[in-house]
Amino acid sequence: MSKVTYKISLQSRVDRIINSENIAGYVFILPWLVGFFVFTLIPIVATFYLSFTQYDLLSPPKFVGLRNYIQMFKEDPLFWESMSVTFFYVFVTVPLKLAFALLLALWLSYKSKLTPFYRAVYYIPSMMGGSVAVAVLWQRLFTSDGVINSILKLLGIDSNISWIGNPKTAIWTLILLAVWQFGSPMLIFLAGLKQIPESYYEAAIIDGANSWQKFIKITLPMLTPIIFFNLIMQMIGSFMTFTQGFIITNGGPVNSTLFYAIYLYRRAFQFYDMGYSCAMSWVMLIIIGILTALIFKSSTFWVYYESKEGE
Amino acid sequence: MKKFLSILFAVLFLLSCVLTTQIKTSQTALGSSQSIKLRIAWWGSQTRHDRTQKVLELYRAKVNRKVSFVTEFGSWSGYWDKLTTQAAAKNLPDIIQMDYMYLAQYVQKGLLADLTPHTKNGILNLKDVSDASIKSGSIGGKIYAISLGTNALAIIYDPTVAKKAGVKIPEDGNWSWNDYKEIIKKVYQKTKIRADLALTADPKFLLEYYVRQQGKSLYKPDGTSLGFTQEKFIVDVFNINLELLKGGYTARPDEVSATSTIEDSLFVKGKTWIGWTWSNMFVATANAAKRPLALALPPKGGKRPGLYLKPSQFFSVAATSKYKNEAAKVINFFTNSVEANKILLAERGVPISSKVREGIKNAVEPAVRQTFDYIALAEKNCSPIDPPDPPGGTEVGQLFKDLYDQVLYGQIKPEVAAKMFIQKANQILMRNKK
C-alpha cells in the first residue's frame, strides 16, 4: 500500500517537474545563460580583480592595490584627453543622430509608394554598422585626394586639406559617420509614430492646429518614451565607440580622435598594461552607469506615459 | 503534453549543438593523426604574404607532404596586438615571425623555445651563417630566433626626379644634414615635387639614428632610463623636419597620416620623391611604385655612424608548440633553401646564409640586387646595434610619436616637446623596471 502511494507521488513529482513551465523556460534560455556567465559575468568580475593588479598579460598579475586608479587620475594626461574626446563625441553625436533619425522617420511615415524603398535605403548604413569596410571607405572619402575634395572642387571650392589628417576636422568626420548610421533609432521612431492614435490629429485639425503645433503638442509628447529609450541606447553605444576611430584615424592625428576605448585597448595590448586598462574600463562602466541613472531620474519630468493618465 | 514537447525540443536542440561540436573536434582529431598542422604567423606587405604562401606550398610539395600550414598574417600593429592575446591564452602559433624589439620580452617570459638543440642535431643548419647573425637572435647563449635577413635604415629616392632637377645624391653617405635639406629644397624649387616626411609611422627611429651619431644610445643598457640627457638632440631632429615642412618642401602630416599601406603611400603614388625607409621595405616599395628607385645612406654627422645592421625579423618557435622539430625544419627551409629564397627574393632582407646569397644573386630582380649592394655599403658605414628595447619601449615610442606629431602640426614648440619627452620617457621606463 505504502509502496503504491510512494510510486504515485514520485511519478507526480516527475510529472510536475517535466510539466513545469519554469523548467521549460530555463532549458530554453540555457544557451543564453551559459553565454552570459562565461562571456560576460565572469570577465566582468575578473576585470574588477585585475584592475587592482599590475598585469602584462605574459606573466601572472601582481596585486598593487589602488595604484592603477591613482596613476590614472594623477599622472596620465592621455587618460583625461581620451575622456574629453569621448565626451565631446557623445554629446555631439547622440543629439544629432536622434534629431536626424526623428526627422527622417517623420518624413517616411507619410504614405507613398516609394516609402518602403526609402526605409530600406536609409536603414542600410546601420546594417553595415561599425564594420571595417565602412571605416576604410570613410578613410578614402576624406583624404586629401579623396572623393569629398573632388566634389568640393566641382563646386568651385579648391580644398586640399585631408579631412581625416587634420586634428581640427578628424573628429567631425567620425561624428558624421556615426550620424549617417541613424537607421536603427529611425526604425524605432517609425514604430513609435505608428502608435500615436490618428484621432488626436483629427481633433487637433478641428481645433485649427497647424502642422508645427501638431508636432509640438502631439507627436513629440507621445514620442517621449521612444526618445528616452533611443537616448539611453545611443549614449551607451557612443561611449564605447572603437572600430571607426581605430581603423580610420587610429586615435590620431595628435590624439584628436583618441576615444577612451582606443586608449584602453592601446594600454592593454600595445603597452602590455592590462591591469591599468581594466581599471580604465571600470571607470567607464561607472560613468555610463551614473549618466544612465541621471537620465532615468530626469525621465519623470519629461517622459509621458499614456497608461499613467488613469491614475 | 505541450509542455513536455517543448522541453523535448529544447533538449534536442541542446543535444544537436553539443553533437555538432563533437563531430567537428573528432574530425580534427582524425586529421591530425595523418598529417601535421603547423600554424605560422607573420606581418608584412602584400608582396610578402604572396611569396611566403608560395614558399610554404613549395615546402609541402618538395619536403614534407604531411605538413599543412595554417597561416596568420597581417600588418605590423595588428600583428603584435593579436600575438600578445594569443600568448596570454597560451595559444601562440608554432612558428612566429619575431622582431628585435620584442625578442627580449618574449624570451624573458618563457614564451619561445630554445632552438640550440635543433642546430646541434642538424635539423637547423647554420653552417653558412655569420656569428653576428646568430648572436642577434640569441639571449644568454641560447638561440631563440633565426634571423630572416639583414636590414638597415636607408634613404629611398627616385633617381629620375633627382636627375631632372640636376642634383646628385651621394649614395655612399657623404652628405651632411645640411646637404640633405639643401637637396630637398633645390629639387622642390626645380620640379615642384616634395619630399616625404621622415619616418612618421615610427619617428623614434629617426631620433635613435641621430642620437647614435652623437655617440649615445636611445636607452641605457639596463633599460631604466634614456641613454642621453641632451634636449638639444631632440630639438635638432624636430627642427630639421620642421624647417622643411614649414617651407613646403615636404608632404604635410595631415596628408601622410591618412595613408596606412605602402601601396597607398605618397611616395609610391609619385607625389614625393625622397624619404626614409628600412632597406627590406625597398623591394615592396619598388614593386608597388613600378618605377626605378634608388637607395642611399642617410646623412652623416656627429661622432660615429648612426647606422646599424639589424636583423630585419626572425622566425621563432613557440615554447608551447607540439611540433618543435617540424617547425625547426620549416625555418631551416627558409634559411638554407636556394629554391625557396628564389621565391622570397630577399623581401625580408638580405639572406643570412652566404650560400643562399650566392645562389640567388643572379636570379633576383634589379631592386633586390640594389638592397644587396646597399647592405654591403651599410656594413662598412655602421656601428654595433644597441641591446633590444627595454620593457616600456613601445610606450616610449608612442610618446615620441605623439610629441613629434604635435610639433609637426605646430601645436607645441620643439624645446617644450624635448623637455617633456625626456621627463616622461624616463618616468615610463622607471615604472616598467622590474
Side-chain angles (χ1 to χ4, degrees), chain A residues 84-152:
Chain A
S84 82
V85 166
T86 311
F87 265 84
F88 176 78
Y89 176 80
V90 172
F91 281 102
V92 176
T93 305
V94 174
L96 271 182
K97 191 174 183 173
L98 291 187
F100 207 59
L102 179 57
L103 201 74
L104 273 146
L106 279 172
W107 181 50
L108 290 180
S109 65
Y110 292 118
K111 286 189 184 75
S112 134
K113 268 185 190 164
L114 278 176
T115 328
F117 170 73
Y118 283 128
R119 276 181 204 170
V121 166
Y122 286 122
Y123 189 64
I124 285 172
S126 306
M127 278 164 49
M128 296 189 275
S131 81
V132 172
V134 172
V136 172
L137 174 86
W138 219 250
Q139 195 177 32
R140 292 284 154 96
L141 285 179
F142 287 96
T143 54
S144 52
D145 53 356
V147 179
I148 298 296
N149 277 343
S150 311
I151 292 173
L152 285 176

Side-chain angles (χ1 to χ4, degrees), chain B residues 271-286:
Chain B
K271 292 188 172 171
T272 55
W273 73 278
I274 187 168
W276 291 68
T277 185
W278 287 93
S279 60
N280 65 319
M281 305 291 270
F282 181 74
V283 178
T285 314

Side-chain angles (χ1 to χ4, degrees), chain A residues 181-196:
Chain A
Q181 296 176 327
F182 57 88
S184 52
M186 181 193 75
L187 276 192
I188 299 169
F189 276 134
L190 261 175
L193 286 171
K194 293 252 163 311
Q195 295 292 314
I196 303 175

Side-chain angles (χ1 to χ4, degrees), chain A residues 14-15 22 56 64 90 100 182 199 203 205 207 252 254 267 299:
Chain A
V14 169
D15 274 1
N22 288 352
D56 65 1
V64 292
V90 172
F100 207 59
F182 57 88
S199 56
I205 291 168
D207 288 346
V254 211
R267 288 229 69 113
S299 71

Side-chain angles (χ1 to χ4, degrees), chain B residues 15 39 53 92 117 150 152 195 201 215 223 225 228 251 305 326 330 337 370 391 425:
Chain B
L15 218 71
R39 283 169 61 212
Q53 303 265 29
L92 281 174
T150 310
S225 72
F228 64 101
E326 290 302 324
V330 175
S337 160
Q370 278 172 286

